[in-house]
Amino acid sequence: NTELPADAPDWDDMFSNSIRAGLSAARSSLKPALFVWSVMACIAVLYYAVPASQGAFAALDSLQKRLGLLFPFLGMGLSVGLLAEAVKVAMSAEKRWTRGNTINAVFNLSIFGVLGVLQNHLYALQAQLFGTGTSLQVLVPKVLFDQFVWTVFFANPYQAILYTWKNNGFSWKRMSEKMRSFRTFWGTQILPVLITNWAFWIPMVAIIYCFPAELQLPLAILAVTIWVLILSIHTSSSHDES
C-alpha cells in the first residue's frame, strides 16, 4: 500500500503553540534574567560613576587586544561550552564527566566560539553604521539591528540548524530531512527560542551598548557567562525537584 504523506501542521496552531512555548520558557527564566540585568546595570553604573574602576576596565580591554580573535572565541566558547557542561555535571547526582559531556562541551565551544568571533565583527560594523555613544539615536538602531536582523536572520537559525545536526547524530541527511519543510522547522524549532532570546537579550543588549565600543564584546561575554552559570544551576535544580 502506498502511504499518503502526512498533512503539514496547521500554521496557526503551530505558531500559537510556539509563542506559548517561548513565553513559558521566558517566564521560567525571569528570575535569573533579572539577576543578570541587575549585575550588568551595576557594572555600567560602576564604569560611569566610579573613576577608580577604570583600571579594571582598561585591563579588560588590554587583554582583549593582546588575544585578538582568540578573546571572543575562547570567551564565548568556554562560557557556553565548558562552563555550562561543568555546571551540569557538578549539579548531577552522579557528578561524573562522560563522553557525552565531552561531545557537548567541544560542540558548544566550537559553535559559540565562532559566534563570538562573528559578534566581534558585528559590534565593529554597528559602530560604523550607527556611530558610538549613549544617545537614543545610537542605542535604538543598534538594539533593533542586533535583535531583529542579526538574531532573526543569522544567530538563531545558525544555532537551531547546528543543534538539529547534533541531535540527529551529526548526520547531514537526517538533518536535511528534519528541515525539508523549512516553514515547519522555523515555526517549531526557531520561533520558540527566538521569543525566549528576545525576552532576555533585548534589555541586555540595551545595557551592553551603553558601554564604549571597545568594552561591548568583553561585557557581552561576561553577561553570557553569568547567564549560563545561573541558568544552568536554575535548570539543574528544577530537574532535581521534578
Side-chain angles (χ1 to χ4, degrees):
N1 295 333
T2 304
E3 293 185 4
L4 295 175
D7 292 335
D10 181 75
W11 173 253
D12 290 340
D13 289 342
M14 182 173 63
F15 186 80
S16 60
N17 289 339
S18 294
I19 293 287
R20 284 196 294 272
L23 291 175
S24 175
R27 282 193 296 270
S28 69
S29 59
L30 180 59
K31 288 182 180 178
L34 285 170
F35 177 80
V36 181
W37 294 334
S38 300
V39 169
M40 298 306 294
C42 288
I43 292 174
V45 171
L46 188 69
Y47 176 80
Y48 286 105
V50 182
S53 68
Q54 296 301 307
F57 290 104
L60 188 60
D61 181 42
S62 176
L63 176 63
Q64 177 181 210
K65 289 174 179 173
R66 282 203 306 273
L67 292 178
L69 291 180
L70 270 179
F71 184 87
F73 183 86
L74 293 176
M76 197 73 76
L78 289 175
S79 63
V80 183
L82 189 60
L83 176 63
E85 209 59 31
V87 171
K88 187 190 299 183
V89 171
M91 297 292 290
S92 68
E94 299 82 8
K95 293 182 170 48
R96 186 170 63 89
W97 187 277
T98 65
R99 179 175 178 273
N101 296 122
T102 300
I103 292 172
N104 290 339
V106 172
F107 177 79
N108 287 331
L109 187 150
S110 301
I111 69 166
F112 284 98
V114 170
L115 194 60
V117 171
L118 295 175
Q119 197 160 334
N120 180 58
H121 294 300
L122 170 70
Y123 289 154
L125 173 64
Q126 293 224 78
Q128 292 180 351
L129 291 176
F130 309 118
T132 58
T134 56
S135 67
L136 287 178
Q137 290 86 347
V138 171
L139 292 180
V140 170
K142 282 186 176 181
V143 171
L144 293 177
F145 187 88
D146 188 307
Q147 291 299 297
F148 295 96
V149 178
W150 163 260
T151 297
V152 171
F153 293 103
F154 177 73
N156 267 39
Y158 164 83
Q159 294 173 54
I161 291 168
L162 286 175
Y163 272 104
T164 300
W165 174 57
K166 173 181 176 289
N167 294 337
N168 284 277
F170 297 102
S171 167
W172 294 108
K173 181 180 179 181
R174 289 204 292 269
M175 184 196 76
S176 63
E177 289 172 355
K178 292 281 186 181
M179 294 176 58
R180 185 166 293 158
S181 171
F182 190 78
R183 175 174 168 172
T184 301
F185 178 76
W186 187 88
T188 58
Q189 303 299 313
I190 296 179
L191 181 58
V193 177
L194 184 61
I195 292 168
T196 308
N197 180 91
W198 280 337
F200 174 72
W201 281 106
I202 289 177
M204 190 72 263
V205 296
I207 297 172
I208 289 170
Y209 286 128
C210 288
F211 288 93
E214 64 272 14
L215 290 175
Q216 288 170 5
L217 181 68
L219 290 166
I221 292 172
L222 177 61
V224 168
T225 302
I226 300 171
W227 173 242
V228 166
L229 179 60
I230 297 298
L231 199 59
S232 296
I233 294 172
H234 175 73
T235 303
S236 298
S237 299
S238 297
H239 286 167
D240 291 342
E241 291 169 4
S242 58

